[in-house]
C-alpha cells in the first residue's frame, strides 16, 4: 500500500475507486446508507474539492487501485449553520465552536475497503490529511453507533468531546490528537 495526497484533480482521476470504497464502507452497518445515495458520493466529493484548504489522501494497492481515502478541508469562518454544522454548534456553543473548530481542519470522510482493514491504512490516511492541520487543530464527526470507528479514533489519539450532537444519528465531535483543546477533555 502507498498513500498519496491529492488535490481536486487527483480526486477526479480516482473518482471511480473512491466511489467504490465509499459504497463498500458506508452501505454496511452501522451506517446503512442507501446504495444509490452512496453511489453519488464521488459527485459530492468533486464539489468539495473547491472548499478552502481541501486535501485528500488515497491509499493505493500495488496495482494502483484505491483501497481507502480521506477528505478534509478548512472549517469556514463564520461557522456554517447548514447540514450537521448547525447541530454541532448547538452542542458545543458559540465560544467553543469559534475557538475549537473555526479555521480548523475538518476531516469529512475516511473510508477503507473491507479487504484493507486492519493494515494501518486508516491511520496512514488520517495522518496524511491532518499532518499540517493549523496549530494541530483538526476535528471530525462520528456516530456513537460506529463503535469500531470510535475505537480506531481513540487508538489514534483523537478525543471525544462529551457533548452529544442533537439528532437521530447519535453524532459526536472528536478533536485530533494535537488539538490544543483536547488536553482539557476527560480521557
Amino acid at each position: 500500500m502507498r498513500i498519496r495526497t491529492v488535490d481536486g484533480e487527483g480526486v477526479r482521476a480516482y473518482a471511480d475507486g473512491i466511489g467504490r470504497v465509499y459504497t463498500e464502507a458506508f452501505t454496511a452497518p452501522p451506517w446503512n446508507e442507501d446504495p444509490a445515495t452512496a453511489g453519488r458520493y464521488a459527485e459530492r466529493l468533486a464539489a468539495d474539492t473547491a472548499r478552502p484548504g481541501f486535501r485528500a489522501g488515497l491509499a493505493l494497492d500495488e496495482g494502483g487501485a484505491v483501497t481507502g481515502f480521506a477528505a478534509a478541508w478548512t472549517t469556514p469562518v463564520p461557522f456554517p449553520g447548514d447540514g450537521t454544522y448547525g447541530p454541532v454548534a448547538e452542542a458545543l456553543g458559540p465560544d467553543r465552536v469559534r475557538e475549537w473548530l473555526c479555521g480548523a481542519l475538518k476531516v469529512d470522510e475516511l473510508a477503507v475497503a473491507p479487504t484493507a482493514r486492519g493494515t494501518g491504512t486508516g491511520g496512514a490516511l488520517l495522518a496524511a490529511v491532518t499532518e499540517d492541520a493549523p496549530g494541530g487543530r483538526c476535528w471530525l464527526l462520528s456516530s456513537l453507533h460506529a463503535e469500531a470507528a470510535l475505537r480506531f479514533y481513540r487508538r489514534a489519539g483523537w478525543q471525544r468531546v462529551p457533548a452529544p450532537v442533537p439528532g437521530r444519528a447519535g453524532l459526536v465531535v472528536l478533536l485530533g490528537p494535537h488539538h490544543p483543546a483536547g488536553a482539557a477533555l476527560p480521557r
Side-chain angles (χ1 to χ4, degrees), residues 74-132:
T74 305
T75 306
V77 179
F79 198 71
D82 60 337
T84 56
Y85 288 105
V88 166
E90 184 180 336
L92 298 183
D95 292 340
R96 289 194 290 181
V97 163
R98 186 176 47 259
E99 293 173 29
W100 295 2
L101 307 184
C102 286
L105 186 72
K106 179 187 184 231
V107 177
D108 184 62
E109 297 292 353
L110 172 66
V112 176
T115 58
R117 293 186 187 146
T119 64
T121 300
L125 286 165
L126 195 55
V129 297
T130 62
E131 68 185 353
D132 61 350

